[in-house]
């Protein structure tokens, strides 16, 4: 039987956290609830425990990325098969959790399903401010170009991952405004994702960490992070196959095969080389060929990304105008 976890990041959400937990329990009773209290200075942790959730308290405010990675590490270490993010402010409607789960189970090749505010043609629900919607369209264009598939709501945190996604995000998760980068991380590791329509609600209490005057800064920073992410090392197809082989091998043998490789080739290169060593000389040759193919393919991908980022420049200026107009 599948073990399912709802990860609820919360920062000073004492007014909303109990209602959020109750809604999850009512709509998705087969999901355990883990609240990540991200250094709150109010009674969020105590209120969450009183509502019946397991609570992890961060020693200080890590931000949404650090809080969510802590949740994924917990999910991995406790053997969960599925994890869904449900924000503690009440914007994510837990009634959609089983819709996300049904879509994830429908296609065995899917690793992540995201709830999109913009796939519902009826146009219902909360969709954020005009300035932010412009920014979301810019991110949507850039991310869709890079991944080669339509992405309508790249800033949605209402997402569900399978065991592969949990393992990936437990090891590596963007810390600063992570929603957009997480999609690219899935793409880089050849994991599949899709969107389904959901309806979101306004926050129950409090204010967003990103004010209208910060929207332009947020957009520029995320676009820069996207561009930098294209230069990160990523696994070749051969490396993915040999990693699977290493996982099937005895842990002691895998450790022995990796001995000394990281020191010779660097940490990131060592991960691929260790996987190749576990598969033998043939695997090592396949990794080398795969890395070369990946590098050649990356050039075209980066060229497309540069074009998309260039197209976004005018939209950034448009967002700035919208923010100024909205603040008047």
């Amino acid at each position: 039987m599948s073990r399912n976890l709802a990860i609820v990041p919360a920062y000073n959400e004492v007014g909303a956290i109990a209602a959020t937990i109750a809604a999850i329990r009512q709509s998705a009773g087969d999901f355990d609830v883990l609240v990540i209290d991200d250094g709150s200075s109010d009674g969020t942790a105590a209120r969450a425990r009183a509502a019946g959730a397991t609570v992890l308290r961060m020693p200080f405010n890590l931000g949404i990325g650090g809080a969510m990675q802590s949740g994924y590490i917990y999910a991995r270490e406790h053997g969960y098969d599925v994890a869904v993010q449900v924000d503690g402010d009440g914007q994510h409607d837990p009634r959609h959790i089983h819709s996300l789960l049904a879509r994830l189970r429908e296609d065995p090749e899917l690793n992540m399903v995201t709830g999109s505010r913009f796939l519902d043609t009826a146009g219902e629900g909360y969709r954020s401010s005009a300035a932010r919607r412009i920014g979301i369209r810019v991110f949507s264009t850039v991310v869709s170009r890079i991944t080669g598939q339509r992405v309508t709501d790249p800033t949605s945190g209402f997402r569900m991952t399978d065991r592969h996604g949990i393992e990936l995000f437990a090891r590596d998760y963007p810390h600063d405004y992570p929603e957009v980068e997480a999609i690219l991380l899935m793409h880089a590791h050849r994991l599949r994702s899709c969107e389904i329509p959901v309806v979101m609600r306004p926050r129950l209490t409090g204010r967003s960490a990103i004010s209208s005057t910060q929207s332009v800064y947020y957009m520029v920073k995320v676009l820069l992070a996207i561009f930098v992410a294209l230069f990160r090392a990523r696994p070749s197809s051969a490396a993915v196959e040999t990693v699977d082989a290493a996982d099937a091998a005895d842990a002691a043998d895998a450790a022995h095969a990796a001995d000394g490789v990281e020191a010779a080739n660097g940490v990131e290169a060592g991960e691929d080389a260790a996987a190749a060593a576990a598969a033998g000389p043939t695997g090592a040759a396949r990794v080398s060929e795969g890395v070369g193919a990946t590098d050649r393919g990356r050039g075209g991908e980066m060229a497309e990304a540069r074009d998309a980022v260039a197209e976004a420049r005018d939209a950034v200026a448009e967002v700035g105008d919208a923010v100024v107009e909205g603040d008047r």
Side-chain angles (χ1 to χ4, degrees), residues 2-319:
S2 176
R3 297 192 65 213
N4 308 322
L5 180 67
I7 304 173
V8 184
Y11 176 63
N12 290 339
E13 297 290 356
V14 67
I17 193 65
T20 299
I21 294 169
I24 295 172
R25 291 192 176 282
Q26 181 178 2
S27 301
D30 52 334
F31 278 72
D32 296 335
V33 182
L34 173 70
V35 172
I36 310 296
D37 177 33
D38 191 21
S40 297
S41 58
D42 61 8
T44 296
R47 189 70 60 86
R49 287 195 189 95
T54 300
V55 178
L56 288 183
R57 294 200 68 182
M58 301 296 101
F60 48 84
N61 182 244
L62 300 178
I64 183 64
M68 281 306 302
Q69 185 171 18
S70 299
Y72 286 118
I73 291 172
Y74 179 95
R76 180 188 64 187
E77 293 183 351
H78 288 79
Y80 285 95
D81 304 295
V82 172
V84 62
Q85 176 180 340
V86 183
D87 286 351
D89 59 15
Q91 281 194 309
H92 299 160
D93 190 341
R95 289 177 295 181
H96 292 296
I97 288 178
H98 276 284
S99 298
L100 296 171
L101 184 61
R103 183 68 182 90
L104 189 66
R105 288 176 172 172
E106 179 183 295
D107 185 349
E109 295 186 359
L110 270 178
N111 306 109
M112 182 172 77
V113 180
T114 300
S116 169
R117 292 161 283 187
F118 305 107
L119 280 177
D120 182 7
T121 55
E124 298 178 355
Y126 177 72
R127 297 192 174 201
S128 194
S129 66
R132 289 195 190 181
R133 288 199 300 273
I134 294 172
I136 290 170
R137 285 199 295 271
V138 172
F139 295 146
S140 175
T141 300
V142 173
V143 173
S144 296
R145 288 282 296 272
I146 293 174
T147 61
Q149 68 179 69
R150 186 188 180 209
V151 178
T152 65
D153 197 355
T155 65
S156 171
F158 194 17
R159 54 179 49 146
M160 179 179 290
T161 59
D162 68 355
R163 182 68 186 182
H164 294 291
I166 290 171
E167 292 280 355
L168 172 61
F169 289 155
R171 294 194 310 268
D172 186 9
Y173 196 73
H175 281 198
D176 209 8
Y177 310 130
E179 291 83 5
V180 179
E181 291 183 71
I183 299 172
L184 300 180
L185 190 61
M186 294 284 291
H187 173 69
H189 284 263
R190 295 170 175 77
L191 299 182
R192 290 189 54 203
S193 63
C194 74
E195 296 177 323
I196 66 168
V198 299
V199 175
M200 293 192 188
R201 307 174 293 197
R203 295 173 60 94
L204 294 179
T205 60
R207 296 185 303 173
S208 171
I210 305 173
S211 65
S212 60
T213 55
Q214 291 177 311
S215 296
V216 175
Y217 169 76
Y218 167 72
M219 178 182 295
V220 172
K221 188 170 184 178
V222 173
L223 286 173
L224 179 61
I226 290 172
F227 192 74
V228 170
L230 296 176
F231 292 91
R232 296 183 62 184
R234 62 193 65 187
S236 66
S237 57
V240 172
E241 294 177 8
T242 53
V243 165
D244 290 339
D247 288 340
D250 182 78
D253 291 340
H256 178 71
D259 185 32
V261 175
E262 289 187 342
N265 298 287
V267 174
E268 292 186 358
E271 290 174 356
D272 284 341
T282 302
R286 291 171 63 195
V287 168
S288 178
E289 294 172 1
V291 168
T294 299
D295 288 340
R296 289 191 296 273
R298 190 184 303 173
E301 185 179 76
M302 288 176 60
E304 287 192 2
R306 290 192 196 99
D307 292 341
V309 171
E311 291 174 3
R313 288 172 185 162
D314 291 339
V316 171
E318 186 178 350
V319 173

